[in-house]
Amino acid sequence: MKIRLDRTMCDGFGMCAKHAPSYFSLDDWGYASLVGTGEVPEADQPAVLRALLDCPVHAIIDVAGGPIVVPTSAPIPDEAPEPHPETDANEAEWGFVR
Ligand code: SF4
C-alpha cells in the first residue's frame, strides 16, 4: 500500500494522527503531514486504512489504486453498548412530563 496526503484538502480533524501516529503528524494548527515516503508495510495497513477511511475530507489517498479491503481480523475496540434509557422508571428523576 502506498498513500499520499493532499494537504490542500486537510481540514485538521486529526483522525489520521490518532489512528496511525507513525505515518501522520499534526502541526500547531492541527493540519496533517505525511511522515515518511507513504509506503505502508502490510503490518501497518489496518491502522493506516482506518485513518484513510476516517478522514472526513478524503485527504488521504491510496495511490496504488487497488481495492480497499477492510481487514476482518483487525481488532475492534471493546465498546460498552449504550444503556437503553428507561422511560417509566426514571421519568421523575429526569423531570419528564407527558
Ligand atoms: S484526518 Fe484528514 S482532515 Fe483530519 S488531519 Fe488527517 S488528513 Fe487532515
Side-chain angles (χ1 to χ4, degrees):
M1 178 183 203
K2 183 170 174 68
I3 57 167
R4 191 172 71 79
L5 174 65
D6 185 345
R7 296 193 71 206
T8 64
M9 294 177 66
C10 176
D11 269 347
F13 289 94
M15 300 304 290
C16 53
K18 177 182 162 206
H19 292 306
S22 52
Y23 289 88
F24 302 96
S25 66
L26 302 179
D27 65 16
D28 291 344
W29 295 274
Y31 292 97
S33 293
L34 190 60
V35 176
T37 63
E39 289 288 345
V40 182
E42 195 167 332
D44 294 341
Q45 286 184 10
V48 172
L49 189 57
R50 176 52 52 206
L52 184 151
L53 294 172
D54 277 2
C55 176
V57 294
H58 308 289
I60 305 164
I61 300 150
D62 180 4
V63 292
I68 293 177
V69 179
V70 178
T72 55
S73 60
I76 298 173
D78 288 336
E79 287 187 18
E82 291 290 322
H84 187 68
E86 298 290 329
T87 52
D88 291 333
N90 57 10
E91 277 185 354
E93 179 184 328
W94 291 355
F96 289 164
V97 178
R98 286 188 193 185

